[in-house]
Amino acid sequence: MGRRHFLNMAVMMGTFAGCLWCLPVDVYTPDEKTVVLLHLDGNSRDSSGCENNGTEKGVTWSEGKFGQAGYFNGKAGIVFESTGSLCVGKNSWTVEAWIKPEKQQPTHATIISGGWSNERIYWLRISEGKYLVAGFGDGVKMVVVSSGDLSDILFDGQWHHVATVLDRSREGEVRLYLDGRRIDSGKSAFCGPIVYETQTMGLVIGAIAPWYIGREGYQGWIDEIRISNTVRPEYLSKEPPPEQIPAVRKEPFRYDIASSRIPLSLEPANTVIVLHSGVIEDWTRKAATLLQTWLRGASRENSGFEIVAEEKISERDSKVIIALGKTRWVEEEEVKDLWRDGFLIKRKGNVIILCGGQSRGTLFAAVRFLDRVAGVRFYLPTDLFTSLPENPKLTLGNLEILENPFVHWAVLSPAIFNVRGTGDWPTLVAGYRRIMMGSHQHNMFLVFPPERYAEKYPEIYPVISGKRYIPRNNNDQNWQPCFSSPQTLEAARETVSRHFRKHPQEDYLTFSINDSHSICECPACTAFYETFKGKDDDKTYREKAHSFLYWQFMNKLGEWMEKEFPGKYIIGLAYGITRFPPPFTLRPNIIPVTNFHIAELEADGILKPEEDGLTPLDKWLNIASNYGNHDWYHGNGFVLPRIYSTYWSQFLQYIQKRSQEKKIKRIFMYAETGPNWGLDGPKYYILARLWQDPAVDVKILLKQFCADMFGPAAQPMEEYFTRLENLWITLDNKKGPERKLFQWSRQLLTDEQDREEIKKCRKLLDYATSLTVTEEQKKRINLFSRTFRLTEYLVELNAATTVSRSRLEEIKKFVAENISGDPMTLYDNTAETMEKIIKALTGGKKIVD
């Protein structure tokens, strides 16, 4: 069909408005506003610079508008992972593509779709085989712009240019275009911000969502897709701006302050859990369900505590209202300084506010409310280790808690989720609070990938034994970059630019050394190492020199980022050959992550002043504006209780005091787990509470745990766990040697005094068992008793000079019947692992009948 014929038909139909602009005659070129650019020339690689590459499912390739195009057969699609650059948020948005659809289409043939959760979405599609339609949804309402019947145009066998625009300069106006002309839908449509707390959205070509690929989808060709976080000049509207909708002034909630001191009863039938208006994030829904479940449990009721929407409740209804999130009862001034995981709990008459900085903070507020008001505490995974109050009548008086976590990014390593039955427990106790999935560890291959840089910047890669060493893959840790070469810094800047362009929502990027002592031996590096030689006859001079180069590199990168990416951080790992603090101040956007072993706090003198009057920890705190530490908090690899909550308390309180003096801005903590629940009890719960507030008393937390879990047996169980902690400190810090991971015979080395202490622990367990009155109390103590029995057996084996064959069979039978198969005993409790441990402890010893 000719252009003149087409225009006449369009005007006649009354479908189009505005002027025709010149359609693209070639492929698009990217700029800083382009978030996706797909040429679709035989692949779905993104040319925007954001690296939003797709994964094709059933797409084939043939001649397109420019080069090749993707053919979609109704069951094909292209999926893009969720990233920050794909998130609409408060941006303007332009979506463009060339299409040549087949006439046979499903009812709704989606060309492009982004978003998905809770109706926060946008799409461009052909509906009912004749309408071109665009939709944008902000989670509250869905706005749709549609053409009239375009079947004669869309299915003429020619290529057509389609576009939709979300224009924030015009109050979020949505517009639709075909072949360069705006489609007049008859009335204006406006969409609010499409906001996700994750600040990420996904993208699909050919279907409404990834899970719809393979069903009835778009049929035809698609070419040259461009998505931009702006309104492109050709789509700017020259019409008068729409009338601005005046903001609704929120009247403050007025209540009688004195009434908040009067005891308030939480009756199941008269207490409602209220979800705030607007878009409700998953964590807030989780908070509501959690409150309902456990308030019912605490009250010994199967109903009540109904969940209702804010719009359907009034404080005048004589109900007790537990209000989640930023409801009308929250003043902005009250929560303006909350970190995203911080929260406010505040009673206002018959209304109880639980509001987080973000929805996860609201979940943490719900967990703390259950703790303070209902006596519900999640000490270990499973309901068995969740406490309930003795009195089912729940009341509260005046209540106000405003809390920001001391540790901003807190991570019990993901290994903890591998234990069957763990569920959401790490998150409930605020022990898993990361905003991104990237590691803070050994990632030099990922930030300096050879396929990208080996040819362009070869000097990144070290000279080892006279040859340039190019790593093979991410598992190859036997190298460190050459930090004396300017090319390394140049490549790092490119990596940072790409990363934050694709993931603008993320807080930080890591440049952490590999797990290796193999360093560059190029002439420049070697000459620099030699300048450190001869200082105090130090054999580590090469490592100290390398550490200097590394932190110097980090500072140069950080200084550049302050201008290019303000507000973003980079993490550096102070580990192995970079563990030496540099003699200069780190840039304020650098987070050094040390590897202090908190288990050896005393033995390593972490808080003990050295000859220069500074502790090893001070030497980092003095030069940094932010601080992190990676601790090996296993668990896995140990078969004796490894509890050192008191050390953690001392470590964090020291940092807290110094951070108040020096204004440390951000704190990062990571603890490797692989929990041995049956040996270590509540140590992970206690650590999570310390990360939240280092001032909490670990002895009080332990006392509370024992009272809640063991009732009349609380006192001997409290003494049992206290003795276990003292035993670890004695063995590992005072007597030595350091108890190493997986080194079984060294780990279980004891003397007669230590073994006497172990016997006392056994007596406490047996006595506690005799005091229990409920089946739950018996089951809890039984877990700790039978797991500790394994430790007793293994200590005995390690100390023996000869071993009875019958004793070995007894131990193996005990393991099979009491340890293996129960995820709450040891992280790795398989019969094969137990066999290896027994073999290591009995190797070289005489086995007697």
Side-chain angles (χ1 to χ4, degrees):
M1 179 183 295
R3 174 68 60 190
R4 181 172 300 181
H5 182 192
F6 163 72
L7 290 176
N8 289 338
M9 179 182 292
V11 173
M12 181 179 66
M13 293 169 54
T15 299
F16 295 92
C19 299
L20 177 73
W21 53 268
C22 186
L23 291 173
V25 295
D26 202 349
V27 297
Y28 293 116
T29 56
D31 58 23
E32 71 279 0
K33 295 296 184 179
T34 312
V35 298
V36 174
L37 178 54
L38 305 175
H39 298 308
L40 298 177
D41 285 331
N43 60 63
S44 55
R45 284 197 295 270
D46 177 24
S47 300
S48 72
C50 292
E51 299 191 347
N52 288 309
N53 299 313
T55 300
E56 304 118 28
K57 298 186 177 183
V59 178
T60 57
W61 310 99
S62 61
E63 184 180 356
K65 176 65 178 178
F66 307 107
Q68 288 185 299
Y71 174 72
F72 297 74
N73 63 3
K75 296 184 182 299
I78 304 175
V79 180
F80 301 77
E81 67 172 13
S82 295
T83 68
S85 57
L86 293 176
C87 186
V88 177
K90 298 179 180 180
N91 297 313
S92 291
W93 210 247
T94 303
V95 180
E96 305 165 276
W98 284 94
I99 63 170
K100 187 168 70 170
E102 294 181 336
K103 189 167 186 178
Q104 187 67 35
Q105 298 288 343
T107 303
H108 298 298
T110 301
I111 301 164
I112 300 173
S113 173
W116 312 308
S117 176
N118 293 334
E119 295 302 314
R120 286 169 288 179
I121 189 172
Y122 66 88
W123 40 256
L124 182 61
R125 71 190 185 198
I126 299 171
S127 291
E128 299 181 32
K130 53 185 176 181
Y131 306 117
L132 183 64
V133 187
F136 283 83
D138 61 9
V140 177
K141 65 177 181 179
M142 190 80 198
V143 299
V144 175
V145 176
S146 178
S147 72
D149 185 347
L150 295 176
S151 54
D152 287 344
I153 301 173
L154 289 173
F155 307 120
D156 62 0
Q158 303 298 313
W159 283 96
H160 294 284
H161 189 270
V162 293
T164 184
V165 167
L166 175 62
D167 190 344
R168 296 293 178 206
S169 70
R170 296 177 57 82
E171 303 298 315
E173 185 178 57
V174 177
R175 301 192 291 273
L176 179 62
Y177 298 81
L178 175 64
D179 290 324
R181 298 193 70 172
R182 181 181 172 187
I183 291 175
D184 184 2
S185 63
K187 64 177 182 178
S188 298
F190 303 92
C191 180
I194 305 177
V195 177
Y196 287 77
E197 280 189 345
T198 61
Q199 300 177 62
T200 63
M201 290 174 68
L203 179 70
V204 170
I205 311 300
I208 189 66
W211 45 92
Y212 278 89
I213 293 176
R215 306 186 196 182
E216 292 185 344
Y218 171 83
Q219 297 182 55
W221 291 263
I222 303 177
D223 198 2
E224 200 63 17
I225 295 171
R226 180 173 69 169
I227 301 177
S228 312
N229 58 12
T230 188
V231 178
R232 291 291 175 182
E234 52 267 35
Y235 303 107
L236 290 173
S237 176
K238 296 180 181 178
E239 297 177 6
E243 183 179 348
Q244 291 190 355
I245 302 172
V248 178
R249 186 175 180 272
K250 178 182 174 183
E251 292 295 328
F253 172 54
R254 303 188 186 282
Y255 66 100
D256 181 4
I257 296 177
S259 68
S260 297
R261 303 188 186 98
I262 301 171
L264 184 66
S265 178
L266 302 183
E267 298 291 339
N270 199 49
T271 303
V272 292
I273 299 163
V274 176
L275 292 169
H276 64 82
S277 60
V279 178
I280 301 170
E281 298 283 356
D282 290 343
W283 289 122
T284 303
R285 295 186 188 278
K286 174 74 176 177
T289 304
L290 188 80
L291 285 168
Q292 184 183 69
T293 299
W294 289 104
L295 288 175
R296 286 176 176 178
S299 302
R300 312 307 196 265
E301 295 285 349
N302 294 321
S303 61
F305 300 104
E306 296 304 321
I307 300 171
V308 299
E310 181 180 354
E311 297 81 4
K312 296 183 179 181
I313 195 72
S314 169
E315 58 273 10
R316 300 183 186 87
D317 292 342
S318 299
K319 297 275 189 181
V320 176
I321 296 171
I322 302 175
L324 300 185
K326 292 184 179 179
T327 58
R328 63 181 180 268
W329 300 287
V330 177
E331 300 297 325
E332 188 61 36
E333 189 67 22
E334 294 177 308
V335 296
K336 66 181 179 62
D337 294 327
L338 285 179
W339 173 252
R340 57 184 172 233
D341 290 331
F343 56 80
L344 170 68
I345 302 175
K346 186 174 182 178
R347 180 183 167 190
K348 297 182 177 182
N350 66 320
V351 178
I352 305 156
I353 292 167
L354 276 64
C355 181
Q358 290 186 359
S359 64
R360 192 167 60 182
T362 300
L363 174 65
F364 297 148
V367 172
R368 185 61 57 83
F369 179 80
L370 288 170
D371 178 341
R372 288 286 294 271
V373 175
V376 175
R377 302 177 187 97
F378 306 97
Y379 290 115
L380 276 72
T382 74
D383 290 355
L384 180 63
F385 288 96
T386 301
S387 65
L388 290 173
E390 290 185 10
N391 185 357
K393 300 297 182 182
L394 306 180
T395 61
L396 75 154
N398 190 33
L399 180 63
E400 183 170 354
I401 304 171
L402 181 67
E403 186 171 295
N404 274 319
F406 174 68
V407 176
H408 299 89
W409 300 288
V411 183
L412 295 172
S413 72
I416 200 167
F417 290 99
N418 295 338
V419 181
R420 191 174 74 251
T422 296
D424 289 334
W425 182 87
T427 303
L428 289 182
V429 299
Y432 191 83
R433 293 187 285 108
R434 74 190 317 170
I435 198 67
M436 55 174 281
M437 296 310 295
S439 174
H440 65 285
Q441 299 185 69
H442 324 295
N443 73 330
M444 286 301 178
F445 185 90
L446 298 179
V447 292
F448 297 120
E451 66 270 20
R452 185 186 300 279
Y453 292 133
E455 184 176 345
K456 184 178 182 181
Y457 297 126
E459 292 178 13
I460 292 173
Y461 307 100
V463 173
I464 298 176
S465 300
K467 295 181 180 180
R468 183 75 60 188
Y469 186 87
I470 308 296
R472 298 178 298 279
N473 52 49
N474 193 36
N475 295 324
D476 183 357
Q477 291 280 304
N478 194 35
W479 67 285
Q480 307 292 351
C482 173
F483 292 113
S484 67
S485 172
Q487 290 187 3
T488 305
L489 181 60
E490 190 62 32
R493 289 173 176 170
E494 290 186 18
T495 293
V496 168
S497 297
R498 277 196 313 275
H499 179 83
F500 287 120
R501 184 125 188 252
K502 182 175 182 177
H503 305 287
Q505 81 286 359
E506 294 193 346
D507 294 326
Y508 58 81
L509 177 61
T510 298
F511 282 83
S512 288
I513 60 152
N514 291 324
D515 197 0
S516 167
H517 284 256
S518 183
I519 60 179
C520 182
E521 300 167 353
C522 74
C525 283
T526 302
F528 186 80
Y529 303 156
E530 291 302 306
T531 65
F532 278 66
K533 191 174 183 179
K535 297 179 181 179
D536 303 321
D537 195 29
D538 190 350
K539 295 180 180 179
T540 62
Y541 77 91
R542 283 167 55 87
E543 293 184 355
K544 288 182 176 178
H546 183 271
S547 187
F548 183 101
L549 284 174
Y550 169 73
W551 292 110
Q552 179 179 259
F553 155 82
M554 291 293 285
N555 251 15
K556 290 178 180 178
L557 182 59
E559 183 177 15
W560 171 81
M561 283 180 59
E562 288 167 13
K563 301 173 185 176
E564 299 296 326
F565 296 94
K568 300 300 184 183
Y569 297 87
I570 46 172
I571 285 181
L573 196 58
Y575 168 83
I577 54 176
T578 58
R579 70 188 183 276
F580 303 100
F584 47 79
T585 300
L586 297 178
R587 304 301 301 186
N589 56 355
I590 294 175
I591 307 174
V593 177
T594 57
N595 188 215
F596 289 127
H597 301 178
I598 313 304
E600 286 78 49
L601 189 83
E602 285 187 74
D604 291 351
I606 297 170
L607 304 182
K608 182 180 179 181
E610 297 180 334
E611 291 182 2
D612 56 6
L614 298 174
T615 70
L617 178 55
D618 280 327
K619 291 177 182 179
W620 284 103
L621 296 180
N622 284 352
I623 64 171
S625 299
N626 314 282
Y627 175 73
N629 190 69
H630 178 124
D631 185 47
W632 294 335
Y633 204 40
H634 310 278
N636 186 31
F638 289 89
V639 286
L640 79 163
R642 191 169 182 260
I643 303 170
Y644 47 94
S645 300
T646 302
Y647 278 173
W648 260 112
S649 176
Q650 294 171 6
F651 180 72
L652 290 169
Q653 286 183 16
Y654 192 95
I655 297 171
Q656 186 179 50
K657 181 181 178 183
R658 287 300 318 278
S659 68
Q660 291 167 349
E661 297 169 356
K662 191 179 177 294
K663 303 296 182 186
I664 300 291
K665 294 187 299 183
R666 294 285 181 257
I667 305 292
F668 176 99
M669 290 289 154
Y670 186 96
E672 290 193 23
T673 56
N676 291 339
W677 299 112
L679 291 179
D680 296 336
K683 82 172 191 178
Y684 295 106
Y685 168 83
I686 291 173
L687 178 59
R689 289 296 305 273
L690 286 170
W691 280 348
Q692 194 77 8
D693 179 10
V696 297
D697 190 324
V698 295
K699 292 182 180 179
I700 291 177
L701 291 178
L702 178 62
K703 182 182 288 292
Q704 187 178 59
F705 164 74
C706 292
D708 285 345
M709 294 290 97
F710 311 117
Q715 189 279 325
M717 289 304 295
E718 182 184 351
E719 184 179 348
Y720 166 74
F721 282 110
T722 300
R723 284 185 175 274
L724 289 184
E725 181 165 2
N726 291 335
L727 179 63
W728 172 263
I729 289 172
T730 298
L731 292 174
D732 193 55
N733 285 262
K734 299 185 184 302
K735 291 183 178 179
E738 179 185 342
R739 309 296 152 141
K740 292 283 191 178
L741 194 73
F742 297 111
Q743 296 185 17
W744 311 114
S745 58
R746 173 173 174 156
Q747 186 183 122
L748 295 165
L749 188 64
T750 56
D751 58 25
E752 192 60 39
Q753 184 183 33
D754 304 326
R755 292 190 287 275
E756 280 301 313
E757 189 64 21
I758 289 172
K759 289 177 182 178
K760 291 177 182 178
C761 291
R762 167 52 57 190
K763 288 180 180 179
L764 288 167
L765 284 169
D766 293 343
Y767 178 50
T769 301
S770 72
L771 296 177
T772 56
V773 294
T774 69
E775 281 303 309
E776 289 79 10
Q777 292 165 2
K778 285 185 174 68
K779 288 179 181 178
R780 292 163 187 151
I781 294 177
N782 176 261
L783 170 66
F784 300 122
S785 180
R786 57 192 164 91
T787 313
F788 187 66
R789 185 72 187 98
L790 175 63
T791 299
E792 293 174 283
Y793 273 133
L794 298 179
V795 166
E796 173 195 319
L797 282 183
N798 200 45
T801 54
T802 61
V803 180
S804 163
R805 198 178 306 278
S806 62
R807 192 63 161 172
L808 284 178
E809 293 305 313
E810 177 186 333
I811 295 171
K812 291 176 184 179
K813 181 181 179 183
F814 176 84
V815 168
E817 295 177 352
N818 296 277
I819 303 297
S820 296
D822 184 349
M824 293 300 288
T825 56
L826 304 178
Y827 182 80
D828 183 359
N829 59 25
T830 63
E832 293 79 9
T833 297
M834 294 299 109
E835 187 71 36
K836 288 179 183 178
I837 295 171
I838 292 171
K839 187 176 181 180
L841 299 179
T842 57
K845 295 181 180 180
K846 186 176 181 181
I847 310 297
V848 297
D849 293 322

